[in-house]
Amino acid sequence: MTMIPTTAAATPLASIALRRNSFGRLIFIGADGVESENVIPVRAFPIGAPDHGISIVSSDGHELAWIERLEQVSAEVRGLIEEELASREFMPEILRIVGVSTYATPSDWTVETSRGITTFTLKGEEDIRRLPQSALLIADSHSIQFLVRDQKALDKHSRKILDRFL
């Protein structure tokens, strides 16, 4: 078992454990020794501060532990949490906009992402959400979310295309 230090006042640090069962699901062992199966790590701020504020939540939605910063936990626990988050989260980051089919919506966008080149359909300008610090969240016609971490950091061609939709 691996210990999870947290800042939760009601949870003694040395008595919290996290492991996987034979089906690969996470099990949380609380200070009282009670095991909770199928727990889920949830990021409080998945875009703005992905490594800060992680809650371990039971299958019925109750918070079991709070981890202020991922670096506070051991490498083994951090690995388990990151594996679980990666299996649930799919938000490719747009690195470059290669082109768009038209400047009217709906339009097909070809983009280079952190997971490779892909094409998606933007239904309307309302599917582009502005986030703090010049970040954007773009939803395609299948509700897949694409992140532009910093639109100012994109190349000139990509920024020019974005400006026509914003």
Side-chain angles (χ1 to χ4, degrees):
M1 277 184 252
T2 308
M3 298 303 170
I4 303 176
T6 70
T7 57
T11 308
L13 299 180
S15 61
I16 300 173
L18 183 68
R19 64 178 171 85
R20 289 203 183 272
N21 66 11
S22 59
F23 298 107
R25 303 264 170 91
L26 287 179
I27 297 175
F28 173 83
I29 300 97
D32 54 4
V34 174
E35 292 189 2
S36 299
E37 294 197 13
N38 300 327
V39 299
I40 303 166
V42 179
R43 295 184 202 270
F45 309 102
I47 296 170
D51 294 337
H52 294 61
I54 308 244
S55 180
I56 305 297
V57 180
S58 68
S59 58
D60 60 355
H62 290 90
E63 183 175 275
L64 302 170
W66 176 259
I67 302 166
E68 191 67 35
R69 301 170 69 96
L70 256 183
E71 66 232 17
Q72 292 176 320
V73 298
S74 70
E76 184 180 349
V77 170
R78 187 170 43 250
L80 287 171
I81 291 170
E82 288 173 343
E83 283 174 15
E84 195 67 22
L85 289 168
S87 72
R88 289 187 21 252
E89 297 174 344
F90 180 74
M91 189 180 307
E93 183 177 342
I94 294 176
L95 306 174
R96 182 172 68 97
I97 302 171
V98 178
V100 293
S101 61
T102 179
Y103 289 107
T105 55
S107 63
D108 293 326
W109 290 41
T110 302
V111 295
E112 180 183 335
T113 73
S114 55
R115 298 182 182 241
I117 293 183
T118 191
T119 300
F120 65 85
T121 301
L122 179 72
K123 291 187 295 186
E125 289 88 1
E126 66 275 3
D127 292 325
I128 302 175
R129 284 188 24 218
R130 292 179 188 264
L131 301 174
Q133 298 154 350
S134 74
L136 299 171
L137 202 55
I138 303 172
D140 76 354
S141 60
H142 301 292
S143 298
I144 295 175
Q145 304 285 321
F146 291 85
L147 175 65
V148 176
R149 193 163 304 280
D150 181 3
Q151 61 182 322
K152 295 174 187 171
L154 292 174
D155 63 273
K156 185 177 179 179
H157 174 74
S158 299
R159 288 193 314 271
K160 186 175 180 180
I161 291 172
L162 269 176
D163 284 345
R164 295 217 177 166
F165 287 92
L166 295 176

